[in-house]
Amino acid sequence: MTTIEVRGLTKRYGSDLVVDDLSFSVEPGQVTGFLGPNGAGKSTTMKMILGLAKPTRGSVSVGGRSYRELPVPLTEVGALLDASAVHGARTAYNHLLALAVSNGLPRRRVGEVLGRTGLDGVAGKRAGGFSLGMRQRLGIAATLLGDPRILIFDEPVNGLDPEGIRWIRDFMRELAAEGRAVLVSSHLMSEMAQTADHLVVIGRGRLIADTGIAELMHATGNGTVLVRTADPSSFAYHLTAAGGRVRDGLQGALVVSGLSGEEIGKLAAYHGVPLSELTPQRASLEDAFMELTKDSVEYQGVPA
Ligand SMILES: Nc1ncnc2c1ncn2[C@@H]1O[C@H](COP(=O)(O)OP(=O)(O)OP(=O)(O)O)[C@@H](O)[C@H]1O
């Protein structure tokens, strides 16, 4: 099934190249995390997918066509870019009803999406008085009005409390489990690690990685081994002689790369060195993300 196809997408604002020859696809039945540091070009890419910004070059198709060619876009793709964009004076019900009617969608969908997002109890309340979490739910309810196969959310958990974050995370997973394609942006790898199946990582408008979460862990996770012993400096000598690279860790630990835990254990036994700890480290996804994007963050801290 065709979902979102981004091909050679490029956007310039004046002399700024904001999106640079970006290509990726979003598959059905999974959550695709669209990840990059602030200013990487995520929102601009999403706007181009939705026909809200014109590409300088390249193309995007949604459900096999460009967004502007979709007869009833809301039935193909639902998008939440900015949850504050609700008419505060309207009730939640009337906000959704206005959207449904203006898009030619049946009125019954309003009750259905209110139920789905747990807003039935506040349907008659003015959206202006809603908390951020409820506004997000209302925004998500609106994306579901046309029962679309494709959903796009721009930083949906920004500013939410842990319960709100949890609800959105579970909801995205549910939508994907129903076979929908879910594209969700974030600048937080830790968030994506718990939500996404697949990651598209960009930095300075360019594609840095297009990978499954599991593959990314595998590619970047098997790095170092943490070793503790009573006499670290002499064991460091043996480790280096055996081809390992050693750096000092916290509290006298050695951080070893280039040798497996098993090799280090054998080396310790051979030299009669008692070890109090031997722990293979898995780099966290956050580390992997920092590593991937370190050349592309806009403002880097300068070491003192
Ligand atoms: N309409 C515009 N005119 C000029 N520059 C723009 C415009 N929209 C975005 N930009 C610039 O494009 C770059 C990418 O912005 P964009 O909002 O797409 O990034 P982002 O990855 O979504 O970041 P954030 O997480 O901070 O929203 C930024 O440097 C931004 O200032």
Side-chain angles (χ1 to χ4, degrees):
M1 195 179 88
T2 321
T3 56
I4 304 172
E5 299 270 351
V6 172
R7 291 289 164 261
L9 199 63
T10 302
K11 180 71 180 176
R12 266 182 194 285
Y13 283 116
S15 60
D16 291 345
L17 191 53
V18 173
V19 176
D20 186 2
D21 196 20
L22 199 57
S23 299
F24 64 89
S25 306
V26 178
E27 302 300 332
Q30 57 183 26
V31 176
T32 298
F34 191 30
L35 194 64
N38 288 125
K42 303 178 299 290
S43 301
T44 304
T45 301
M46 286 178 156
K47 283 184 191 146
M48 288 194 280
I49 294 172
L50 296 165
L52 298 170
K54 194 173 178 305
T56 307
R57 260 198 322 278
S59 64
V60 186
S61 72
V62 182
R65 290 189 265 192
S66 90
Y67 188 89
R68 286 165 188 280
E69 288 167 8
L70 299 173
V72 187
L74 280 194
T75 60
E76 205 81 44
V77 53
L80 178 63
L81 297 189
D82 179 4
S84 58
V86 291
H87 198 304
R90 281 195 183 136
T91 64
Y93 183 89
N94 284 336
H95 169 71
L96 294 171
L97 184 65
L99 270 173
V101 169
S102 61
N103 283 280
L105 300 170
R107 286 170 167 255
R108 66 173 165 77
R109 286 296 296 156
V110 174
E112 287 168 10
V113 300
L114 281 166
R116 179 99 210 247
T117 52
L119 290 176
D120 332 54
V122 292
K125 294 221 159 74
R126 283 172 0 115
F130 279 10
S131 67
L132 183 63
M134 278 157 69
R135 276 171 185 254
Q136 288 292 59
R137 286 187 191 220
L138 182 58
I140 291 172
T143 69
L144 296 174
L145 274 174
D147 195 18
R149 307 297 300 160
I150 302 170
L151 289 149
I152 297 178
F153 302 108
D154 194 5
E155 301 264 7
V157 303
N158 255 8
L160 294 186
D161 60 17
E163 196 195 323
I165 292 175
R166 179 68 183 268
W167 184 84
I168 295 219
R169 193 185 285 156
D170 291 348
F171 202 73
M172 315 236 136
R173 302 237 34 94
E174 253 178 52
L175 294 170
E178 292 165 8
R180 300 179 212 260
V182 181
L183 178 67
V184 51
S185 76
S186 176
H187 59 278
L188 294 175
M189 176 61 109
S190 49
E191 179 49 39
M192 287 294 96
Q194 300 184 59
T195 314
D197 308 287
H198 194 90
L199 286 180
V200 172
V201 184
I202 66 168
R204 289 191 186 274
R206 290 206 203 117
L207 187 71
I208 294 177
D210 183 350
T211 175
I213 292 257
E215 288 91 320
L216 183 64
M217 284 295 273
H218 186 73
T220 54
N222 309 317
T224 58
V225 182
L226 191 78
V227 178
R228 277 181 208 280
T229 176
D231 185 1
S233 49
S234 70
F235 192 50
Y237 172 80
H238 294 308
L239 288 164
T240 312
R245 288 179 304 284
V246 182
R247 62 184 164 82
D248 292 330
L250 289 177
Q251 292 158 355
L254 299 172
V255 180
V256 185
S257 49
L259 293 173
S260 68
E262 191 182 354
E263 287 166 331
I264 295 168
K266 282 185 182 157
L267 195 68
Y270 180 80
H271 291 288
V273 176
L275 300 182
S276 53
E277 183 173 356
L278 178 66
T279 317
Q281 306 287 292
R282 291 190 64 110
S284 69
L285 276 171
E286 201 69 49
D287 293 338
F289 177 55
M290 300 295 264
E291 186 63 30
L292 281 170
T293 57
K294 69 174 188 294
D295 296 328
S296 62
V297 291
E298 255 185 309
Y299 303 104
Q300 277 182 337
V302 180

